[in-house]
Every structure is written in C-alpha cells, then in structure tokens.
Amino acid sequence: MSLTTEALSAEVVVKTLNSSPGGPMVFDPAFVKLAPGDSLRIVPTDKGHNIESIKGMAPEGAPAVKTVVGKEETITFDKEGIYGFKCSPHYLMGMVALVVVGSNRDNLEPARAVEHGKLAKKRFDPLFAQVP
C-alpha cells in the first residue's frame, strides 16, 4: 500500500474578518502550526483583504506569497520555518498572522527582529509567544 504526501496533508482554513472578539481587522486564526506539505485556505469572509509575506519573515528560499484581494486562495507550505503575513490594505491596523511549519526554528530570531508599526507589533508579540 502506498500513501502519498498529498493524501496525508492537512488544510487549515483562515478567514479574513473586519471584526472579531479579538478586535478589528484580523485573520482567524492568526496563529497556525502546519506540517510540511500542509496548506492554508484563505477565505475572504469579509471582502477587501488578502495575505502577503512580510519581508524578512520567511525561511531562506521560501517563495513569497501575495494573494488577490477578496479572492479565496490556497497556499501550500513545503519549507519548514516561521512565516509572517500581513493583509496589505490593513497592515497599519495590525492585521497580521504567524505560521509555523514543521520543527525548524532557524529563522525564528530574524523573523522576530523584523520591525513593524505599533499595532502589528502588539499583535505579533502574543503570536510569537505561541511558537513551540
């Protein structure tokens, strides 16, 4: 019997929301732990959002991500490490997410060292606290 990686891969749904009990302009969930080969399905629950890589917050050699505003898209993660994301239109409002893939933490400190605006930093601090 043969099992492919795809058959074992998981998909996590991340919604883009204008408001939630956690505040305005959020990804739900904003912290996601994945295994290599797993995917995020970005669901524009509230329109006007996307997800985009933040420079310096991805493992070396990982492809940059930038989805189309308001369009549902799926992103598959093959490279282990820490990934920081923003909603391009609402980054200044603190709309960020953190994705941890696998067990490699080589880029944790460089990702943590990236500077952000006040609201994004305020939201990243508790996300980084969840990194195992």
Side-chain angles (χ1 to χ4, degrees):
M1 180 175 187
S2 171
L3 294 177
T4 66
T5 303
E6 186 173 54
L8 300 175
S9 297
E11 180 180 84
V12 175
V13 173
V14 174
K15 298 175 185 174
T16 61
L17 302 172
N18 290 340
S19 65
S20 77
M25 304 300 170
V26 296
F27 292 105
D28 181 28
F31 179 84
V32 177
K33 178 133 177 33
L34 301 173
D38 288 354
S39 300
L40 289 184
R41 182 163 44 105
I42 309 304
V43 178
T45 306
D46 293 324
K47 307 300 181 205
H49 304 288
N50 77 334
I51 194 165
E52 180 179 350
S53 303
I54 296 174
K55 188 175 180 171
M57 295 187 76
E60 188 173 323
V65 171
K66 185 173 184 179
T67 65
V68 175
V69 171
K71 182 178 179 205
E72 182 172 315
E73 297 191 47
T74 300
I75 306 158
T76 301
F77 294 83
D78 295 317
K79 191 158 183 74
E80 291 192 23
I82 310 297
Y83 294 79
F85 293 101
K86 63 184 177 182
C87 169
S88 302
H90 302 105
Y91 180 47
L92 291 176
M93 297 177 77
M95 191 167 180
V96 296
L98 195 66
V99 176
V100 177
V101 180
S103 58
N104 185 320
R105 303 291 181 266
D106 288 351
N107 75 312
L108 175 60
E109 291 312 313
R112 194 187 307 255
V114 172
E115 293 192 24
H116 306 281
K118 184 178 179 180
L119 293 175
K121 181 185 179 341
K122 183 178 178 181
R123 288 201 177 156
F124 266 129
D125 287 344
L127 298 178
F128 274 112
Q130 296 179 61
V131 175

